[in-house]
Amino acid sequence: MGPKLGIVAGGGELPGLVADACRAQGRDFHFLALRGHADPKVIGDGPADWIRLGEAGTGFERLRQAGVADVVMIGPVRRPTISELAPDLRTARFFARVGLKALGDDGLLRAVAAELEHEGFRVVGVHEVLADCLAVAGAYGQLSPDAQAEADIARGVEVAKGLGALDVGQAVVVQQGLVLGVEAIEGTDRLLARCGELARDGVGGVLVKLRKPGQDRRIDLPTMGTATLAAAKQAGLRGIAVEAGGALVLGREAVAVEANRLGLFVIGIEIVA
Amino acid sequence: MGPKLGIVAGGGELPGLVADACRAQGRDFHFLALRGHADPKVIGDGPADWIRLGEAGTGFERLRQAGVADVVMIGPVRRPTISELAPDLRTARFFARVGLKALGDDGLLRAVAAELEHEGFRVVGVHEVLADCLAVAGAYGQLSPDAQAEADIARGVEVAKGLGALDVGQAVVVQQGLVLGVEAIEGTDRLLARCGELARDGVGGVLVKLRKPGQDRRIDLPTMGTATLAAAKQAGLRGIAVEAGGALVLGREAVAVEANRLGLFVIGIEIVA
């Protein structure tokens, strides 16, 4: 167990999983929950301060008061509009420095990480606190991709790498060599729903999720769990490929069981740069 | 006016525009209309044979019987499934040669063009028969992009070029530097509808449509018309940028009038490879 962990919490269930991991290790933690993003049910009765995104000054202060040394940033944060931000002085100075154009892409998250370090915190990656969730190489369940699925995965990797290099998306759906959809900011759920409607007859496609080239693993990793499997099944896919060491698979055992139940494959693939 | 023109007609209004251009020039033409793709209202009472996609043998024969020398392929054709194809012997031989994996991307269209030339036809580009529709450089209406829109266009060009190099899409929507969506096979209408829902507060985004690098201009060019303007307005965009010399703008005057009426810009931009 390490020093007290600050969990800057965005949306979804990931912040809760980090807290669970801390509890399991007997490690102290403190949530800095982002209002409008973090889910109160996920934060639960854990020690927490709630702030708006625009209250960086308050946030740094709260983390310090809580005695936090390491900080992890976890869970999606929708790009704010300026009016939502209503930045405090500290935040306004920050935006003046990084430039508002940083808003909305990985640049913002990288800048926030740099700012946290500048304030004396150590920014740790979710893969360090949720090491069990980092995707491993190989099949998670009983099924593996056949030759067509392998070819679709290869095409998906090619496209996802190209997209990632442009700092756009992390996810691609390919069916029989045809790219059904690529993800920008809409999220994997919407991508899958759309691709379900666009799917062609014959054997179903695959979802490929990769880390962006050069992506800071401390900040944002592509993620999948049993809900992703359900959405993939609904969209007529045959399986999901994630980057080994570059994606999070939430609940290895649960994912394997659900993949088997649905008749899908889940596979961690090694990506060479 | 040239020799009799064969118009292999897919969906949308473009085949009708080509026929109109022929009529205006006093040039004879003959439709080879693809059943399930071509719109009977667009084909109208023009001289036409209807075939299924799988009837290449019949199609070549019909074009020859009609005395056609030049052929233009125009209008989107949804990737067929094998059962829809039910290929005739001639088509089956063709697929055996090009390989079924060619289905669904530009490779198929390129292969069909090569096959037509192999059969003695000359494949001409729509930009040759609809020269008036090829996008010109500069603003179509009264409005031009401001600095933010220029920056969004530049980002869109960067992403569209990267996507095009991967043979995926031709269209990208960018708002305030954020890539709201990238097009795969869903088409620009669906892309715009989705981006309307994903748009952020503040000044609206832009749609950028480019030709894919190396794309054969005889086969498939990105296209826009007044309907695209209406969808862009609906999605909260401020304008559309298309590649000068690499996209079709259907009805230059009508597009300018509609752009002015809706308060959008439409601009043809020069792309350096």
Side-chain angles (χ1 to χ4, degrees):
Chain A
M1 67 171 254
K4 190 169 188 173
L5 183 68
I7 306 173
V8 179
E13 56 179 318
L14 276 167
L17 293 178
V18 172
D20 289 346
C22 287
R23 290 187 186 102
Q25 299 160 25
R27 181 176 186 175
D28 289 331
F29 66 92
H30 188 87
F31 283 119
L32 192 64
L34 300 176
R35 206 177 293 281
H37 301 275
D39 180 347
K41 287 198 294 288
V42 169
I43 302 303
D45 56 1
D49 286 302
W50 287 82
I51 62 162
R52 289 185 302 105
L53 258 185
E55 298 175 305
T58 307
F60 295 145
E61 196 55 38
R62 293 280 187 276
L63 288 174
R64 238 188 297 273
Q65 283 168 352
V68 157
D70 292 359
V71 175
V72 65
M73 298 190 295
I74 183 88
V77 174
R78 200 179 66 82
R79 178 175 115 131
T81 61
I82 302 301
S83 56
E84 283 173 340
L85 269 180
D88 64 14
L89 191 62
R90 182 71 193 70
T91 312
R93 280 213 311 274
F94 165 67
F95 281 125
R97 189 155 66 247
V98 305
L100 268 175
K101 72 185 174 63
L103 271 176
D105 57 38
D106 283 0
L108 175 63
L109 294 173
R110 275 193 295 268
V112 171
E115 200 68 9
L116 279 162
E117 305 237 291
H118 180 74
E119 294 282 328
F121 300 102
R122 192 173 77 92
V123 177
V124 299
V126 65
H127 61 284
E128 296 174 56
V129 291
L130 286 180
D132 285 354
C133 292
L134 205 61
V136 295
Y140 273 70
Q142 289 155 354
L143 294 171
S144 288
D146 61 14
Q148 176 66 60
E150 290 277 12
D152 286 348
I153 290 169
R155 174 73 171 132
V157 166
E158 176 188 43
V159 174
K161 275 184 167 181
L163 274 174
L166 294 161
D167 195 13
V168 177
Q170 299 174 312
V172 178
V173 174
V174 181
Q175 181 190 16
Q176 299 172 44
L178 183 71
V179 178
L180 294 185
V182 292
E183 183 184 26
I185 63 162
E186 70 272 32
T188 304
D189 286 348
R190 288 188 71 144
L191 170 71
L192 288 173
R194 172 169 96 240
C195 291
E197 296 169 18
L198 296 167
R200 304 310 197 212
D201 288 352
V203 293
V206 302
L207 168 68
V208 177
K209 293 193 85 166
L210 303 188
R211 181 163 51 127
K212 296 175 191 171
Q215 185 170 356
D216 188 338
R217 287 210 301 184
R218 296 177 313 172
I219 287 175
D220 180 29
L221 287 178
T223 299
M224 68 152 294
T226 52
T228 318
L229 274 168
K233 178 73 178 180
Q234 182 72 26
L237 302 192
R238 296 196 296 156
I240 299 174
V242 294
E243 178 174 352
L248 297 176
V249 178
L250 305 183
R252 188 183 304 193
E253 192 50 42
V255 162
V257 168
E258 187 68 357
N260 291 342
R261 193 180 71 80
L262 295 174
L264 300 183
F265 65 78
V266 174
I267 189 161
I269 53 174
E270 309 270 11
I271 299 297
V272 285
Chain B
M1 67 170 256
K4 190 168 190 174
L5 182 68
I7 306 173
V8 180
E13 55 178 318
L14 276 168
L17 292 179
V18 173
D20 289 345
C22 287
R23 289 188 187 102
Q25 299 161 25
R27 181 176 185 174
D28 289 332
F29 66 91
H30 188 87
F31 283 118
L32 192 64
L34 300 175
R35 206 176 292 282
H37 300 275
D39 181 346
K41 285 197 295 289
V42 169
I43 302 304
D45 55 3
D49 286 301
W50 286 82
I51 63 162
R52 288 184 304 102
L53 256 183
E55 299 175 302
T58 306
F60 294 144
E61 196 56 39
R62 292 280 186 277
L63 288 174
R64 239 187 296 274
Q65 284 167 353
V68 157
D70 292 1
V71 176
V72 65
M73 299 190 296
I74 183 85
V77 174
R78 202 179 66 81
R79 178 176 115 131
T81 61
I82 302 302
S83 55
E84 284 173 338
L85 269 180
D88 63 16
L89 190 62
R90 183 69 192 71
T91 312
R93 280 213 310 273
F94 166 66
F95 281 125
R97 187 155 67 246
V98 305
L100 268 176
K101 73 186 171 64
L103 271 177
D105 57 37
D106 283 1
L108 175 62
L109 294 175
R110 274 193 294 268
V112 171
E115 201 67 9
L116 280 163
E117 303 237 292
H118 180 76
E119 294 282 329
F121 300 103
R122 192 174 77 94
V123 177
V124 299
V126 66
H127 62 285
E128 297 174 56
V129 290
L130 286 180
D132 284 353
C133 292
L134 205 61
V136 294
Y140 273 70
Q142 288 153 354
L143 293 170
S144 288
D146 62 13
Q148 176 66 60
E150 290 278 10
D152 286 349
I153 290 170
R155 175 73 170 130
V157 166
E158 177 188 42
V159 173
K161 274 184 167 180
L163 275 174
L166 294 160
D167 196 12
V168 176
Q170 299 173 311
V172 178
V173 175
V174 181
Q175 181 190 18
Q176 299 171 45
L178 182 72
V179 178
L180 294 185
V182 291
E183 183 185 27
I185 64 162
E186 70 272 32
T188 304
D189 286 348
R190 289 189 69 142
L191 170 70
L192 288 173
R194 170 168 100 240
C195 291
E197 295 169 18
L198 297 166
R200 303 312 196 212
D201 287 351
V203 293
V206 302
L207 167 67
V208 176
K209 293 194 86 167
L210 304 188
R211 182 162 51 128
K212 296 176 189 168
Q215 186 170 352
D216 188 337
R217 289 209 300 183
R218 296 178 313 173
I219 286 174
D220 181 28
L221 288 178
T223 299
M224 68 152 294
T226 53
T228 318
L229 273 168
K233 177 71 178 180
Q234 182 72 26
L237 303 192
R238 295 197 294 154
I240 300 174
V242 294
E243 179 174 352
L248 296 177
V249 178
L250 305 183
R252 188 185 302 192
E253 192 51 42
V255 163
V257 167
E258 185 69 358
N260 291 342
R261 193 180 73 79
L262 295 174
L264 300 183
F265 65 79
V266 174
I267 190 163
I269 53 174
E270 309 271 11
I271 300 296
V272 285

